């Protein structure tokens, strides 16, 4: 790769109007087709609508080509921002120094924590600060940003002041940007040349597609994995078409091959560019299209409100965003602290269904209160990994183990709240349309069912009558053979229904203990004659209630996807 430029992708993210495009322009020496808001709609609306690519070179060995990925800032374009964040090696978070952190700055920071390894903060528009107080204001904002980064993985990241377009839109082009050489120096010092891995299946994220008369259709994008050479066949999975690579260019320079991390244009023939505004191109058959997926999931702490099972979210899978319904589940109680596994899903294990994603209970909540409340787990009971089954409204094509982000993009963009709800890794895709029948029965997620009743009376040393555990209309036959526990410690087995009012007979293999017999036979006088101290009639005597209630508890599992709804009791 002597003399070959190593390409590094740097994202330019931040709240709308913080000056991202102005900064990209101030830094770049070469612009790609769609850089600097060239599209007419961008011009019309005066905002960036799509990813813009431009670059500059740093003549250091190996010659570094820094590709800037200029992302939109507008809240409604967050899908594009998430797509952009997945192809970058380092993120520049652009902050308007006169405004500080704004809503989308916070969302970009969240996306950065999920998708990027490195970040620097660029305080832009310093020319707007009054001359005399400028440095003090910059120092104050830099300190504020450090505090914001304090409890993120970017703690201690560098903060640098610039003015990408001093004087603003009306300033003459001659007005030189400020702080750019220092920013380039900082970028070069922060960029660790990522190890590019040419192995693995070829996968490219395409961000623009256009035709060139006499040549064919050019798809520009960034290689996410593997490599590509002239003459290779590539698949557009969303359209299920395969084409040969006719020619390739990197920033207007013809090349014969490219590897992960490179940004390039691939030219193919007989392909209508309108069919693929943005999406994926890959080695044939290397991606899968899934109708549902099992993901490892982590809640984003800034998202307010619970992550409710059965709720719908916008699910960004790789570079596509579709609506999906989620069902959360956690490890079975005996494996709460298992090491998280992020490269596969273990179907051999059992999992506990959750009404909500489990968050640590507040420190002051006591154990009972914490386990009581849905969606909360006391400190010692918070699992190290949780999962979700995501059922997509329409199938998505994505790489294995790709990033997944769940968000509430329909939330009010002026409500200054983080719309990003959770993130995770797609561990297992369900490609069958009828996955509910073909795949889900193998997913052993269970609900723990608990029923409580009382012993009404003793029949003999090995059997009692229970009540208030089933409803009158319950078919008790279904429960025959299940184990119940007496509050006095004995183990019982449901033997049969007893009468028509939901009562049932319990067989106690080990027999009642003497204490239990005492409790159960030291009966309360029944109302009526016996209640008035008169001798109860014999048939009334056996209906006497124990003085102190003896509880009967029945617990069993029901597997959520077991069509027969069997009740299972662990051995
Ligand atoms: N005074 C001053 N104005 C700036 C500076 N940088 C950008 N601007 C102005 O701020 C406005 C927004 O600049 P853009 O670069 O389009 O901001 P952006 O972050 O790309 O906007 P979106 O892409 O729509 O989110 C424009 O009018 C710029 O001229 C700066 O350093 N100083
Ligand atoms: Mg812009």
């Amino acid at each position: 790769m002597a003399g070959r430029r190593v390409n590094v992708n740097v994202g330019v993210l931040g709240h709308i109007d913080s000056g991202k495009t102005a900064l990209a322009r101030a830094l770049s020496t070469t612009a790609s087709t769609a850089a600097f808001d060239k599209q007419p709609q961008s011009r019309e609306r005066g905002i960036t609508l799509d990813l813009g690519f431009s670059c500059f070179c740093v003549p250091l060995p190996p010659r570094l080509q820094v590709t800037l990925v200029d992302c939109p800032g507008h809240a409604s374009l967050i899908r594009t921002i998430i797509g952009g964040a997945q192809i970058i090696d380092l993120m520049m978070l652009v902050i308007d120094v006169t405004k500080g952190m704004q809503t989308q700055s916070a969302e970009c920071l969240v996306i950065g924590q999920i998708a990027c390894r490195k970040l620097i903060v660029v305080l832009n528009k310093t020319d707007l600060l009054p001359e005399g107080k400028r440095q003090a204001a910059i120092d104050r904002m830099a300190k504020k940003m450090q505090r914001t980064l304090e409890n993120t993985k970017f703690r201690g990241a560098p903060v640098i002041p610039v003015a990408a377009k001093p004087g603003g839109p009306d300033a003459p082009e001659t007005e030189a940007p400020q702080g750019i050489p220092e920013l380039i120096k900082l970028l070069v010092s922060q960029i660790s040349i990522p190890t590019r891995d040419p192995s693995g299946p070829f996968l490219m994220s395409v961000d623009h597609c256009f035709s060139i008369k006499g040549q064919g259709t050019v798809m520009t994008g960034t290689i996410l994995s593997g490599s590509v050479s002239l003459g290779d066949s590539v698949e557009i999975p969303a359209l299920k078409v395969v084409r040969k690579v006719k020619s390739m260019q990197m920033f207007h320079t013809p090349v014969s091959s490219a590897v992960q991390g490179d940004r390039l244009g691939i030219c193919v023939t007989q392909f209508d560019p309108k069919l693929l505004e943005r999406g994926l191109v890959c080695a044939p058959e290397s991606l899968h299209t899934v109708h549902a997926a099992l993901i490892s999931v982590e809640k984003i702490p800034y998202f307010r409100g619970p992550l409710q099972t059965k709720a719908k979210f916008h699910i960004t899978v790789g570079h596509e965003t579709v609506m999906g319904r989620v069902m959360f589940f956690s490890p079975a109680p005996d494996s709460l602290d298992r090491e998280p596994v992020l490269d596969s899903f273990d179907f051999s294990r059992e999992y506990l269904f959750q009404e909500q994603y489990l968050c640590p209970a507040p420190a002051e909540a006591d154990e009972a209160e914490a386990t009581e409340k849905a969606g909360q787990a006391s400190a010692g009971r918070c699992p190290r990994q949780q999962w979700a089954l995501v059922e997509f409204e329409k199938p998505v094509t994505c790489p294995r183990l790709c990033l997944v982000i769940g968000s509430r993009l329909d939330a009010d963009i002026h409500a200054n709240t983080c719309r990003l709800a959770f993130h995770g890794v797609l561990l297992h895709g369900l490609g069958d349309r009828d996955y509910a029948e073909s795949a889900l029965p193998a997913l052993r997620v269970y609900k723990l069912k608990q029923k409580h009743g009382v012993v009404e009376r003793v029949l003999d040393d090995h059997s009692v009558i229970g009540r208030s555990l089933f409803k009158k209309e319950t078919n008790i036959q279904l429960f025959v053979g299940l184990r119940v526990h007496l509050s006095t410690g004995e183990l019982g087995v449901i033997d049969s229904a007893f009468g028509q009012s939901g009562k049932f007979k319990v067989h106690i293999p080990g027999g009642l203990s003497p204490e239990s017999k005492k409790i159960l036979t030291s009966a309360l006088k029944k109302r009526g004659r016996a209640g008035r101290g008169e001798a109860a009639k014999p048939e009334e005597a056996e209906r006497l209630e124990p003085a102190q209630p003896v509880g009967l508890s029945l617990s069993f599992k029901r597997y959520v996807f077991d069509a027969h709804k069997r009740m299972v009791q662990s051995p």
Side-chain angles (χ1 to χ4, degrees):
M1 218 174 307
R4 167 83 181 249
R5 284 192 264 181
V6 174
N7 181 60
V8 179
N9 298 306
V10 170
V12 193
L13 288 86
H15 194 80
I16 188 164
D17 265 1
S18 51
K20 299 178 293 298
T21 305
L23 183 62
R25 194 197 303 268
L27 280 165
S28 303
T29 50
T30 315
S32 85
T33 39
F36 311 145
D37 297 349
K38 268 184 209 143
Q39 297 108 327
Q41 311 93 315
S42 273
R43 292 211 168 289
E44 238 165 77
R45 292 183 54 187
I47 64 168
T48 303
L49 295 169
D50 213 335
L51 299 180
F53 292 85
S54 56
C55 81
F56 63 92
C57 284
V58 179
L60 284 177
R63 274 162 49 83
L64 203 53
Q65 168 178 287
V66 178
T67 295
L68 295 171
V69 184
D70 176 21
C71 296
H74 195 278
S76 62
L77 300 165
I78 193 154
R79 297 168 177 74
T80 306
I81 300 169
I82 294 174
Q86 292 183 62
I87 57 177
I88 60 178
D89 302 301
L90 177 144
M91 180 169 156
M92 282 200 287
L93 180 61
V94 182
I95 299 288
D96 177 336
V97 71
T98 64
K99 298 204 178 108
M101 280 292 279
Q102 297 171 277
T103 311
Q104 268 62 58
S105 332
E107 288 187 340
C108 288
L109 180 54
V110 169
I111 294 169
Q113 289 179 74
I114 295 168
C116 306
R117 276 190 305 279
K118 281 216 161 173
L119 170 134
I120 63 173
V121 175
V122 179
L123 300 178
N124 187 32
K125 306 196 178 181
T126 49
D127 59 300
L128 294 177
L129 297 169
E131 197 81 50
K133 301 185 192 133
R134 185 167 294 167
Q135 195 50 48
I138 289 170
D139 294 347
R140 251 196 326 279
M141 187 52 78
K143 276 207 186 73
K144 239 170 137 186
M145 285 312 298
Q146 287 304 356
R147 275 199 303 279
T148 304
L149 297 177
E150 192 51 37
N151 50 12
T152 73
K153 70 180 192 183
F154 299 125
R155 176 200 330 216
V159 180
I160 183 166
V162 298
K165 184 144 181 45
D170 311 330
E173 285 304 317
T174 47
E175 184 82 37
Q178 293 151 16
I180 299 304
E182 295 78 356
L183 175 54
I184 289 178
K185 210 159 139 245
L186 175 64
L187 276 170
V188 173
S189 71
Q190 289 293 312
I191 286 173
S192 41
I193 311 286
T195 36
R196 297 303 189 201
D197 171 7
S199 69
F202 168 65
L203 176 64
M204 175 169 155
S205 155
V206 172
D207 38 70
H208 294 299
C209 192
F210 50 93
S211 57
I212 298 186
K213 227 167 161 39
Q215 298 263 346
T217 298
V218 174
M219 297 179 275
T220 59
T222 306
I223 300 181
L224 300 176
S225 79
S227 59
V228 65
S229 302
L230 281 183
D232 281 0
S233 291
V234 292
E235 180 190 358
I236 296 109
L239 307 165
K240 298 241 179 298
V241 296
V242 177
R243 290 288 182 274
K244 257 198 191 324
V245 176
K246 185 182 160 206
S247 65
M248 299 196 294
Q249 281 199 359
M250 275 195 220
F251 285 100
H252 314 303
T253 319
V255 291
S256 56
S257 68
V259 296
Q260 182 200 29
D262 281 343
R263 173 162 180 74
L264 79 160
I266 287 184
C267 182
V268 297
T269 54
Q270 278 120 26
F271 180 63
D272 174 0
K274 284 193 279 311
L275 293 175
L276 180 78
E277 173 42 30
R278 106 193 7 266
L280 295 171
V281 169
C282 61
E285 310 286 314
S286 65
L287 288 190
H288 58 171
T289 299
V290 295
H291 293 264
L294 292 165
I295 67 170
S296 175
V297 62
E298 266 185 71
K299 181 174 183 190
I300 289 168
Y302 314 103
F303 181 75
R304 282 205 215 119
L307 298 183
Q308 201 77 38
T309 279
K310 287 211 185 103
K312 274 184 164 182
F313 288 90
H314 286 89
I315 310 283
T316 301
V317 187
H319 296 259
E320 282 190 64
T321 298
V322 291
M323 284 309 286
R325 193 183 294 282
V326 292
M327 179 194 91
F328 294 102
F329 53 95
S330 61
D334 60 357
S335 43
L336 284 180
D337 49 10
R338 252 167 77 84
E339 196 61 27
V341 174
L342 293 175
D343 58 4
S344 62
F345 183 81
D346 185 347
F347 277 92
S348 69
R349 303 188 67 80
E350 290 204 326
Y351 300 90
L352 182 55
F353 170 87
Q354 293 295 349
E355 293 293 350
Q356 291 179 17
Y357 177 89
L358 284 178
C359 297
E364 63 280 4
D366 67 22
E367 176 83 17
E369 196 185 334
T371 30
E372 259 295 288
K373 243 171 128 201
Q376 275 194 0
S378 56
R381 320 249 341 118
C382 223
R384 293 186 57 188
Q385 183 170 15
Q386 299 185 55
W387 297 267
L389 166 68
V390 185
E391 300 186 80
F392 301 115
E393 284 195 349
K394 72 180 188 57
V396 286
T397 304
C398 59
R400 283 154 181 61
L401 299 181
C402 66
L403 174 71
V404 179
I405 295 182
S407 32
R408 272 280 150 76
L409 299 184
D410 41 4
D412 168 12
I413 54 175
H414 304 296
N416 194 4
T417 53
C418 180
R419 295 168 297 166
L420 303 164
F422 59 84
H423 67 97
V425 178
L426 189 145
L427 299 180
H428 185 90
L430 301 173
D432 257 4
R433 184 178 299 281
D434 61 0
Y435 63 87
E437 289 71 39
S438 61
L440 289 187
L443 177 59
R444 295 162 44 160
V445 174
Y446 65 84
K447 287 185 179 175
L448 211 49
K449 294 276 186 196
Q450 306 241 330
K451 288 174 173 295
H452 298 283
V454 289
V455 172
E456 183 180 72
R457 63 181 178 284
V458 176
L459 283 182
D460 57 41
D461 286 2
H462 285 77
S463 45
V464 297
I465 299 295
R467 65 176 172 73
S468 323
L469 193 137
F470 299 115
K471 291 195 196 95
K472 236 172 48 196
E473 55 279 11
T474 305
N475 173 4
I476 294 175
Q477 207 44 41
L478 295 174
F479 293 83
V480 167
L482 288 185
R483 292 189 305 280
V484 285
H485 288 273
L486 279 70
S487 54
T488 44
E490 288 92 341
L491 180 72
V493 178
I494 295 177
D495 184 80
S496 64
F498 188 83
Q500 304 300 324
S501 59
K503 290 181 188 174
F504 53 99
K505 192 173 157 199
V506 176
H507 171 59
I508 300 167
L512 286 167
S513 67
E515 298 74 23
S516 307
K517 266 192 280 190
K518 217 160 112 231
I519 299 171
L520 287 165
T521 41
S522 61
L524 266 180
K525 299 275 174 234
K526 203 96 173 113
R527 273 182 302 291
R529 263 197 304 252
R532 286 195 298 279
E534 294 159 27
K537 280 193 197 143
E539 64 280 8
E540 268 185 339
E542 86 250 6
R543 279 205 302 283
L544 291 176
E545 293 275 338
Q548 171 199 350
V550 172
L552 279 173
S553 60
L554 165 65
S555 59
F556 57 89
K557 293 175 187 171
R558 253 212 184 113
Y559 290 99
V560 174
F561 300 109
D562 170 10
H564 308 291
K565 297 284 168 226
R566 276 173 291 245
M567 291 169 282
V568 176
Q569 287 185 316
S570 327

